């Protein structure tokens, strides 16, 4: 599995949190069942979309956008918007972060993902999706 530098930064932060390292778990807690899967293949209609990260239980899709690739290229911006709509139509909550956000404070990004996970898990009746 090949991760971009920003994906790698978030992935390593997530792994540190899951291992219970204090510098991460003090801000997030470490008893969560949240599971991030990198480079997730999401089938949307007849297309397979490679999503940067997915939390499958609560259907959260996380996309990390580097500035040069996702913002300076008009065609890529258009493709991103189409992908966004497909992901949402599959009933996923989509969270998008810039590379700058991830590099500046990956724990803050992970906190937002975790907060979204908690809200969705509550709405689903727990992380196992039982109401």
């Amino acid at each position: 599995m090949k991760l971009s530098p920003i994906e790698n930064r978030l992935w390593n932060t997530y792994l540190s949190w899951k291992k219970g390292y204090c510098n991460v778990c003090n801000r997030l807690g470490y008893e969560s069942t949240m599971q991030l899967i990198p480079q997730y293949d999401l089938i949307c209609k007849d297309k397979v979309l490679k999503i940067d990260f997915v939390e499958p239980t609560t259907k959260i899709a996380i996309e990390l956008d580097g500035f040069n690739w996702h913002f300076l290229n008009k065609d890529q911006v258009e493709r991103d918007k189409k992908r966004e709509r497909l992901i949402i139509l599959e009933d996923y909550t989509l969270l998008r972060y810039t590379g700058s956000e991830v590099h500046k404070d990956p724990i803050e990004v992970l906190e937002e993902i975790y907060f979204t996970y908690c809200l969705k898990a509550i709405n689903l009746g727990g992380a196992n999706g039982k109401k």
Side-chain angles (χ1 to χ4, degrees), residues 3-18 24 28 34 36-39 51-55 60-65 95-99 101-114:
L3 299 177
S4 73
I6 56 176
E7 292 166 353
N8 201 41
R9 180 125 164 101
L10 185 63
W11 180 243
N12 287 332
T13 303
Y14 167 75
L15 292 177
S16 294
W17 170 56
K18 292 304 270 188
V24 175
L28 292 174
M34 181 176 84
L36 295 184
I37 299 172
Q39 301 298 304
I51 309 298
D52 294 336
F53 295 96
V54 165
E55 201 300 314
I60 299 169
I62 298 115
E63 291 280 89
L64 308 179
D65 302 331
L95 302 176
R96 292 196 91 102
Y97 297 95
T98 66
E101 289 176 294
V102 175
H103 282 298
K104 181 180 174 184
D105 193 348
I107 297 172
E108 183 177 326
V109 170
L110 199 55
E111 283 176 326
E112 286 184 14
I113 296 167
Y114 179 65

Side-chain angles (χ1 to χ4, degrees), residues 62-104:
I62 298 115
E63 291 280 89
L64 308 179
D65 302 331
F67 183 76
N68 288 339
W69 179 254
H70 291 276
F71 298 106
L72 293 181
N73 181 324
K74 183 181 175 186
D75 292 334
Q76 184 60 42
V77 170
E78 186 176 307
R79 283 191 295 274
D80 284 346
K81 295 299 179 188
K82 286 180 182 179
R83 279 174 55 89
E84 219 170 275
R85 291 189 298 273
L86 287 172
I87 293 166
I88 291 168
L89 287 171
E90 290 297 321
D91 202 28
Y92 277 76
T93 298
L94 177 62
L95 302 176
R96 292 196 91 102
Y97 297 95
T98 66
S100 297
E101 289 176 294
V102 175
H103 282 298
K104 181 180 174 184

Side-chain angles (χ1 to χ4, degrees), residues 16-60:
S16 294
W17 170 56
K18 292 304 270 188
K19 291 176 183 175
Y21 294 156
C22 293
N23 62 339
V24 175
C25 69
N26 283 346
R27 284 177 61 179
L28 292 174
Y30 56 87
E31 296 175 10
S32 172
T33 57
M34 181 176 84
Q35 176 187 9
L36 295 184
I37 299 172
Q39 301 298 304
Y40 186 86
D41 287 333
L42 179 64
I43 300 169
C44 299
K45 296 188 179 186
D46 294 334
K47 297 182 180 188
V48 177
L49 303 179
K50 182 83 62 187
I51 309 298
D52 294 336
F53 295 96
V54 165
E55 201 300 314
T57 318
T58 54
K59 294 181 82 171
I60 299 169

